[in-house]
Amino acid sequence: MRTVDLRSDTVTKPTLEMREAMARAEVGDDVLGEDPTVKRLEATAAAMIGKEAALFVASGTMGNQVAVLANTARGNEVIVDDQAHIFYYEVGAPAVLSAVQLRPVAGLHGPDALTLIKAAIRDKDNIHYPETTLLCLENTHNRGGGTVMTPEQMRDIYRLAKQYGLSVHVDGARIFNAAVALGRQPVEFARWCDSIMFCLSKGLGAPVGSMLAGSREFVDRARKYRKVLGGGMRQAGILAAAGLVALGSVDRLAEDHIHAKMLARSLAGVPGVQVDLDKVQTNIIVADVSGMGMTSDEFVSVLEERGVLAITFGPTLVRLVTHRDVSREDVEYAIEVINNIN
Ligand SMILES: Cc1ncc(COP(=O)(O)O)c(C=O)c1O
């Protein structure tokens, strides 16, 4: 039986081209600043995203947490969406590592963003309040269903944040999906933030690694915090080599978006399954299966018996993600399975 793994775009395996680049990679001790391949990856990533510098980190979580450390002081408050990865899935790290308090706000990426953000920023003069110093956005928004925030929305939020002296960090784990979906350049998004993290290891297919980009001064500080977290890797060029190949394959994300739309339409046609097709903008599909009288766990099990892997995203929500290792034939097979669910 065919297996179609739609659990996440993190399941992608390195391509032959990546493995060959890894085998050939020139390496050195990166903690001593001597790994030429890591340096090349950092320079390439910074140029692609339009920031002065970039830092190679072990994971998206590490990139986000280094950014929180470098952008805040103990006791500060950080505004995030209440569904943001930083709040939802990073094990409470901002409290553990940065000793900051998160201020989760529902609807931060929606049409009322400016009003909601303004209302969440603390009055500096009130002795009872923590100081708000950082705002985090997520583009694309994973729990939102892979939805895209436009550069113009980001610009308006950034300008507001600056009026109040806040730094803005973007969890851009899938920022290239956002750029490809809107036909815009990654730099158009990254202009409107102080720091941005993006992943090499999701739809771009690298085995490991993310980039954290910002000003030279920010990245110098971030490099120290990465060391604090034990993230100083030595001959990391072996991983960076795969990252460089990954950065050369951004355009292929468009195929994942087409596949996601195909899957979403078939899911939406199953009686009892609800999919908001307007929200299927990139490579993520979130379906509500409550109308089938099933929990998400049950729905996922039914798919799994037929070789289609998905994950639960809540008691009645199921998430499916398309990626490099899901071919058109895989999508067609998954559609056949979905169409025959009962
Ligand atoms: C939006 C978002 N941010 C951050 C991360 C964290 O990346 P990692 O799994 O590399 O720590 C993920 C991972 O799925 C993500 O979806």
Side-chain angles (χ1 to χ4, degrees):
M1 184 174 64
R2 193 186 271 267
T3 299
V4 183
D5 194 344
L6 299 166
R7 289 172 301 165
S8 175
D9 46 11
T10 57
V11 302
T12 46
K13 304 218 172 86
T15 59
L16 186 60
E17 192 189 354
M18 285 177 192
R19 289 173 189 267
E20 283 172 357
M22 292 171 84
R24 279 196 313 269
E26 247 189 281
V27 297
D29 189 329
D30 184 51
V31 176
L32 303 182
E34 292 173 3
D35 190 302
T37 311
V38 172
K39 284 188 179 172
R40 200 148 56 81
L41 173 67
E42 291 181 343
T44 305
M48 277 176 83
I49 209 75
K51 293 289 186 198
E52 275 174 15
L55 180 70
F56 184 40
V57 289
S59 65
T61 302
M62 182 184 275
N64 282 336
Q65 294 308 320
V66 165
V68 175
L69 277 161
N71 275 314
T72 60
R74 189 179 174 82
N76 288 172
E77 193 163 73
V78 176
I79 300 174
V80 284
D81 187 84
D82 72 339
Q83 301 294 310
H85 197 278
I86 289 177
F87 173 61
Y88 215 93
Y89 290 126
E90 297 191 7
V91 213
V96 177
L97 303 172
S98 300
V100 294
Q101 172 165 291
L102 294 185
R103 177 82 178 265
V105 174
L108 196 71
H109 296 87
D112 300 327
L114 297 179
T115 314
L116 292 168
I117 292 166
K118 220 167 161 176
I121 297 171
R122 303 279 196 159
D123 173 2
K124 276 198 167 64
D125 296 330
N126 190 320
I127 196 169
H128 301 91
Y129 289 166
E131 190 181 344
T132 312
T133 49
L134 177 63
L135 167 71
C136 297
L137 300 175
E138 189 174 304
N139 202 6
T140 65
H141 188 20
N142 180 356
R143 284 193 64 81
T147 43
V148 177
M149 188 173 246
T150 64
E152 290 68 32
Q153 280 171 288
M154 292 178 66
R155 175 197 62 204
D156 294 348
I157 292 173
Y158 183 75
R159 287 187 175 149
L160 175 71
K162 290 300 151 188
Q163 273 173 32
Y164 289 89
L166 310 191
S167 297
V168 177
H169 170 68
V170 173
D171 174 346
R174 298 182 181 81
I175 195 68
F176 293 114
N177 292 87
V180 166
L182 294 186
R184 307 283 293 263
Q185 292 304 312
V187 295
E188 295 182 71
F189 300 82
R191 247 185 103 175
W192 306 113
C193 65
D194 300 294
S195 59
I196 181 162
M197 181 284 289
F198 56 91
C199 293
L200 306 169
S201 61
K202 298 202 160 59
L204 300 183
V208 174
S210 296
M211 307 305 304
L212 176 62
S215 67
R216 166 65 53 198
E217 182 274 331
F218 171 83
V219 169
D220 288 346
R221 269 185 305 122
R223 195 176 292 279
K224 277 226 160 193
Y225 282 116
R226 182 186 69 174
K227 192 77 176 72
V228 169
L229 300 183
M233 297 182 283
R234 301 292 177 173
Q235 284 72 37
I238 212 124
L239 298 171
L244 278 161
V245 176
L247 285 181
S249 69
V250 165
D251 292 345
R252 67 149 304 285
L253 296 172
E255 189 185 11
D256 299 342
H257 300 176
I258 292 169
H259 288 167
K261 286 191 174 65
M262 289 169 64
L263 280 168
R265 277 195 294 271
S266 105
L267 273 164
V270 176
V273 177
Q274 272 196 334
V275 182
D276 185 344
L277 292 176
D278 290 342
K279 286 194 171 173
V280 183
Q281 297 166 5
T282 56
N283 65 330
I284 298 179
I285 304 138
V286 177
D288 186 335
V289 298
S290 54
M292 291 195 84
M294 280 190 197
T295 64
S296 48
D297 280 330
E298 287 163 347
F299 189 87
V300 165
S301 299
V302 171
L303 288 182
E304 193 178 347
E305 278 165 21
R306 294 161 204 187
V308 176
L309 308 184
I311 61 166
T312 60
F313 224 39
T316 63
L317 296 180
V318 175
R319 190 190 74 171
L320 300 91
V321 184
T322 55
H323 52 78
R324 181 200 289 268
D325 293 352
V326 172
S327 64
R328 179 61 62 98
E329 291 72 36
D330 289 332
V331 172
E332 284 163 359
Y333 175 76
I335 288 174
E336 196 184 309
V337 168
I338 289 164
N339 288 343
N340 287 299
I341 283 180
N342 41 46

